[in-house]
Amino acid sequence: MSLEERELEVLIGPQHPASGHMRLVAKIDGDVVVELRPNIGYVHRSVEKLAEVKKYLQIIPLVERPSLADTTANNLTYVMAVEKLLGIEPPPRAQYLRTLLAEINRIHSHFYGMGIHGVMIGSSTAYMWCFGDREPLIELAQELTGARLTYSYIVPGGVRRDLPQGFEDKVEKVMRYLENRMPDYFDLYFNNPVTRARLEGVGVLSREDAIRLGVAGPNLRASGVPYDVRKVEPYAAYPELDFEVVTEEAGDAFARVMVRVREIQESIKIIRQVLKKIPDGPILNEKYMKMIPPNLRKQVEETGRIKFPGVFANLRVPAGEAIARVEGGRGEVIFHIVSDGKMSPYRMRMVTPSFRNVILFEHLTRGVRVADIPAIYGSLDYFPPEADR
Amino acid sequence: MQDLLSLIFEPYVFVPLIFPGITVAFLLLLVIIWLERKMAAKVQLRYGPLYVLKPLGGAIQMVADLLRYLFQEPIIPKTVDKLAFILTPALLFGMAYLPTVAIPVSPTFYAFRSDLSLLIVLALSTLAPIFTVVMGWASNNKFSLIGGVREGYIVVSYEIPMFLSALSMAVLYGSLDLVDIAEAQKGLWGIFLNPVAAITMLVLMYMSTSKFPFEIPEAESEIVAGAYTEYSGILYGLVMGASYVKLYVLSLVFSILFLGGWNPVPGFMANDPLLPGVLLFIKAFIIIVIGAFLRAVYPRFRIDQAMDLGWKTLLPLSIISIFISLAEVMIMGGA
């Protein structure tokens, strides 16, 4: 029998319980995967092209939509690029608030990824727990920004809202809850012999390959590369905060999960520091603050909620180019904006971590078992809409 | 009317139709699936089934589900082998429940008594998986095919050690008759005489009925629903129920082999089948509940890992259990 006849082509997705919005074309020989090719593009939303006809402020919600679980990263990166072109700096308090939301978002984005991964290898408990424990964080973000996922919190020159009353106590309560909750996850899920058997040694990505393939985020750090944009090219309030870049040496699916777990612990550390160190002051750049009419400005100072100055509606950005990078929950987000001085960018390039990680589907699945496909897929925390944009 | 009642309580009618037969199996199905979902929900910090009969926590959720299955259109795709596709669910369910006829309810209440009733139950229980494999082939779907093949691989890795550990108890008691085996446990239960066999058999029972962590033939995130992918409506209801019924049958056998069957039952009650039957059912029910609870604890193994476990760990253990039985028989001077 020739090799071609031995192989069975299985189309996993897009109508499959665990494929997400994409198709995996798997060629299998018995239970062994010979080749797996991701077929992406099912949820392409043309974000880059749409940005060319939208005004600068309208692009903020637009870039958030593709990566629904990790919106702050896109929001922050885009605004940072715009700010570079505008040549303005947000005030220190706004920088801290941005960091606060980014870290809250990082934790719940990691929970999202771990939950999906859990149900992909069959642990419905891990799924429910992760999605349940994501909830207090989403509620924190909701109280801070007014939205559960699509915050649009970060605007050129600052942020939209100040800390609500008594927010510090609520955050501390949630952080303490998370710390007390983590041992349960280890008891039932991470140290479960079946979980270990399914994840350890599966989908091993070597350090060299991780660098060569341009992998981003926790997947890169799980292969022992201590690369984190927060350290390499600090932004927002990160230069003033003390935290460590989490790495694991093994490079397998379990290491990728462990990086996320330990990053949650680091994020808790960062959030506590932010709330301790956060300076007083305005939350919007002075230049824009002045443009708000005096009676409204008084209201802004009292309520801590920005009323957008008129200039925001038709924000014109000076001609030029700018690149901004941010370490989001899933990895490095890059925005490149080319402006020709009009009301919309001439060109906007959005590079998302999922798009950079999609290559791993092909690379990591050669020669694995069929049941390892979801185990590897989940461990990458891959999000199809984010990759398709 | 009187005749009809007395006919129903004749053992050869009562056993297949009421207990442990189809009626109780069916009621158990309705309860255990609800309980499984409810227990998993408790661990997962949520409510589970709730709105169907709210005062009892959604206890008749499965009745509602059954009604839905009954009225849903059973879609039969054009490309399937129609005869096999339609018949296999009924045969699978029937075969899963058939072994109950050979299970005794009390020392004097059974459909028929045979010297080989243990062998009959085990032999009948092995027939059901064949239909799962046929189902995977008849569905003409790649996921179904993989699911059917997986079922086949799992069968060969659990069947031999499960039989060996069950038969080690027959060696110990010197009989293949379930009534004799249960009666021999008036004092010490089998699980204390041969714990290795008990543990091996328990794990393999869960493996044979696709309980977590062995929910491999219908792994949702890998192969949609395995051999059952193309099924809908009441046909799907039947195939889903079959594995629970099989677990119920094997749990009854496990209770008789290792948990003393209807013992301890006071001597004067032994002739009335009510109390022994209830005791036997409770023991089997606990075994099923443990199996259902595992869903909340474990992810699922990969198929090669499950086969490794079957061939490399449980098969040697089951052979050891035979030697334990032999040694005990030698020491105690024969049964």
Side-chain angles (χ1 to χ4, degrees):
Chain A
M1 200 188 272
S2 73
L3 198 68
E4 274 91 335
E5 284 170 65
R6 285 174 57 89
E7 283 175 9
L8 179 70
E9 193 182 62
V10 184
L11 301 178
I12 304 173
Q15 307 288 336
H16 184 279
S19 72
H21 299 138
M22 69 187 297
R23 168 180 274 169
L24 299 166
V25 184
K27 286 203 179 98
I28 58 172
D29 176 10
D31 196 36
V32 177
V33 179
V34 180
E35 191 188 25
L36 182 96
R37 293 187 69 88
N39 186 351
I40 62 174
Y42 281 85
V43 274
H44 180 60
R45 299 171 192 200
S46 186
V47 168
E48 290 179 6
K49 200 70 193 165
L50 271 176
E52 290 169 21
V53 294
K54 285 197 182 285
K55 293 172 180 172
Y56 277 95
L57 214 60
Q58 290 176 319
I59 297 173
I60 294 177
L62 179 69
V63 296
E64 279 183 341
R65 289 316 188 268
S67 27
L68 204 49
D70 192 21
T71 52
T72 313
N74 290 0
N75 185 182
L76 181 56
T77 326
Y78 169 73
V79 169
M80 275 166 56
V82 172
E83 280 172 352
K84 272 186 191 169
L85 284 172
L86 287 167
I88 54 166
E89 276 280 313
R93 187 171 176 84
Q95 297 279 35
Y96 272 85
L97 288 173
R98 287 176 175 189
T99 311
L100 176 66
L101 186 66
E103 293 304 318
I104 290 175
N105 203 154
R106 185 185 316 280
I107 298 178
H108 78 64
S109 162
H110 280 349
F111 269 124
Y112 182 94
M114 280 163 20
I116 299 279
H117 190 200
V119 77
M120 276 184 175
I121 63 166
S123 177
S124 51
T125 303
Y127 173 60
M128 293 292 171
W129 279 12
C130 285
F131 273 68
D133 289 340
R134 192 170 160 252
E135 203 56 29
L137 292 149
I138 290 178
E139 269 169 23
L140 280 185
Q142 185 184 10
E143 197 169 339
L144 183 64
T145 68
R148 281 169 59 83
L149 286 172
T150 49
Y151 307 121
S152 303
Y153 179 62
I154 299 159
V155 291
V159 294
R160 278 198 299 112
R161 290 189 186 188
D162 208 340
L163 280 183
Q165 287 264 310
F167 193 66
E168 289 90 341
D169 297 338
K170 278 177 194 157
V171 172
E172 183 53 36
K173 227 167 117 187
V174 172
M175 296 301 124
R176 225 174 280 152
Y177 168 75
L178 286 183
E179 281 173 339
N180 292 335
R181 194 84 173 95
M182 270 302 158
D184 294 352
Y185 280 87
F186 277 91
D187 288 347
L188 194 124
Y189 181 55
F190 300 132
N191 289 339
N192 191 322
V194 183
T195 313
R196 291 291 183 110
R198 281 303 301 278
L199 299 183
E200 274 178 342
V202 170
V204 179
L205 177 65
S206 70
R207 193 189 146 91
E208 290 72 33
D209 284 344
I211 296 169
R212 185 171 60 86
L213 296 170
V215 176
N219 302 333
L220 176 68
R221 294 192 282 277
S223 298
V225 184
Y227 187 88
D228 188 323
V229 183
R230 292 177 292 175
K231 284 279 186 204
V232 176
E233 206 181 287
Y235 55 91
Y238 288 110
E240 292 150 49
L241 301 171
D242 172 41
F243 64 97
E244 269 157 42
V245 177
V246 176
T247 56
E248 290 273 339
E249 291 306 316
D252 56 5
F254 190 70
R256 289 192 276 275
V257 174
M258 274 303 115
V259 164
R260 296 203 168 85
V261 172
R262 286 171 53 208
E263 279 193 3
I264 289 176
Q265 285 154 354
E266 284 298 312
S267 290
I268 293 175
K269 240 170 77 186
I270 296 174
I271 289 174
R272 287 207 169 115
Q273 288 178 51
V274 165
L275 289 175
K276 210 181 284 169
K277 286 187 179 173
I278 187 164
D280 285 331
I283 55 170
L284 191 66
N285 190 293
E286 244 176 45
K287 187 179 153 197
Y288 292 131
M289 207 61 156
K290 272 186 210 152
M291 292 180 190
I292 302 174
N295 52 342
L296 273 180
R297 204 182 311 155
K298 212 173 153 199
Q299 195 190 329
V300 168
E301 274 156 17
E302 274 165 15
T303 58
R305 294 180 180 194
I306 298 294
K307 300 281 171 190
F308 286 150
V311 67
F312 267 22
N314 292 322
L315 193 68
R316 270 175 205 278
V317 172
E321 277 186 50
I323 292 182
R325 301 201 292 164
V326 157
E327 185 73 28
R330 297 200 178 90
E332 184 182 352
V333 183
I334 305 171
F335 269 79
H336 180 191
I337 298 178
V338 181
S339 167
D340 55 0
K342 297 215 178 79
M343 293 214 290
S344 305
Y346 174 74
R347 176 83 170 90
M348 186 187 84
R349 174 80 179 132
M350 171 182 181
V351 183
T352 49
S354 288
F355 182 66
R356 290 171 61 182
N357 289 338
V358 73
I359 192 170
L360 290 178
F361 279 98
E362 209 175 332
H363 183 79
L364 293 181
T365 49
R366 214 159 282 151
V368 301
R369 301 274 171 168
V370 172
D372 285 335
I373 296 174
I376 292 171
Y377 183 158
S379 76
L380 299 177
D381 195 3
Y382 175 77
F383 195 58
E386 187 180 286
D388 293 350
R389 305 188 300 287
Chain B
M1 193 63 203
Q2 199 65 39
D3 289 349
L4 196 68
L5 264 180
S6 61
L7 181 68
I8 284 174
F9 284 103
E10 284 295 320
Y12 57 84
V13 178
F14 190 83
V15 167
L17 284 189
I18 314 288
F19 177 76
I22 192 83
T23 310
V24 172
F26 208 69
L27 288 175
L28 179 93
L29 206 61
L30 296 180
V31 173
I32 195 68
I33 297 177
W34 168 76
L35 196 65
E36 175 167 359
R37 293 175 58 181
K38 209 71 185 168
M39 282 190 303
K42 198 83 193 160
V43 176
Q44 294 164 3
L45 314 174
R46 57 193 176 91
Y47 290 113
L50 185 65
Y51 288 100
V52 190
L53 200 66
K54 214 169 177 181
L56 285 178
I60 56 165
Q61 173 73 43
M62 285 318 294
V63 179
D65 283 1
L66 183 72
L67 282 176
R68 184 183 73 78
Y69 282 138
L70 277 172
F71 289 107
Q72 191 189 3
E73 182 195 1
I75 298 166
I76 298 163
K78 267 185 187 161
T79 52
V80 300
D81 183 334
K82 282 208 177 55
L83 187 67
F85 187 83
I86 297 167
L87 278 185
T88 39
L91 290 171
L92 179 67
F93 191 87
M95 277 300 167
Y97 125 87
L98 196 60
T100 53
V101 294
I103 293 173
V105 180
S106 86
T108 53
F109 197 85
Y110 35 75
F112 63 91
R113 184 161 182 179
S114 160
D115 297 344
L116 303 170
S117 50
L118 175 61
L119 271 189
I120 292 172
V121 173
L122 291 177
L124 286 177
S125 75
T126 62
L127 289 178
I130 293 170
F131 295 105
T132 311
V133 179
V134 172
M135 207 180 265
W137 187 252
S139 291
N140 194 16
N141 174 315
K142 285 169 183 171
F143 294 118
S144 300
L145 178 66
I146 297 173
V149 174
R150 280 187 179 193
E151 176 79 17
Y153 273 107
I154 290 280
V155 167
V156 292
S157 45
Y158 72 69
E159 209 124 81
I160 296 168
M162 184 159 83
F163 276 33
L164 287 179
S165 47
L167 292 178
S168 75
M169 298 315 281
V171 171
L172 185 60
Y173 301 125
S175 168
L176 282 167
D177 185 348
L178 287 170
V179 179
D180 284 351
I181 289 175
E183 284 295 277
Q185 298 174 68
K186 274 209 160 74
L188 203 55
W189 288 359
I191 192 168
F192 302 112
L193 288 173
N194 197 342
V196 179
I199 291 167
T200 318
M201 172 123 182
L202 192 65
V203 174
L204 289 163
M205 269 164 55
Y206 295 146
M207 199 192 231
S208 75
T209 51
S210 298
K211 291 275 148 245
F212 274 90
F214 304 108
E215 199 237 23
I216 295 162
E218 53 253 39
E220 196 193 359
S221 59
E222 295 151 27
I223 48 172
V224 191
Y228 315 147
T229 305
E230 293 286 359
Y231 283 88
S232 55
I234 191 62
L235 292 177
Y236 178 73
L238 281 175
V239 296
M240 191 186 65
S243 79
Y244 285 95
V245 173
K246 191 177 177 193
L247 179 60
Y248 166 63
V249 169
L250 289 174
S251 302
L252 285 169
V253 175
F254 184 88
S255 312
I256 291 176
L257 286 179
F258 297 101
L259 302 177
W262 44 78
N263 290 310
V265 62
F268 66 91
M269 301 277 289
N271 287 328
D272 182 2
L274 182 68
L275 184 65
V278 169
L279 275 174
L280 182 63
F281 179 78
I282 290 174
K283 284 172 185 173
F285 189 72
I286 291 170
I287 299 295
I288 302 169
V289 168
I290 294 171
F293 182 71
L294 293 178
R295 170 177 292 273
V297 181
Y298 288 112
R300 71 172 76 78
F301 272 123
R302 224 159 51 202
I303 183 154
D304 54 320
Q305 289 165 340
M307 286 171 70
D308 266 7
L309 189 72
W311 286 110
K312 291 185 186 161
T313 311
L314 296 173
L315 182 65
L317 277 179
S318 61
I319 293 171
I320 288 171
S321 73
I322 286 193
F323 283 110
I324 292 174
S325 288
L326 282 174
E328 280 171 2
V329 170
M330 297 247 283
I331 292 164
M332 292 189 292

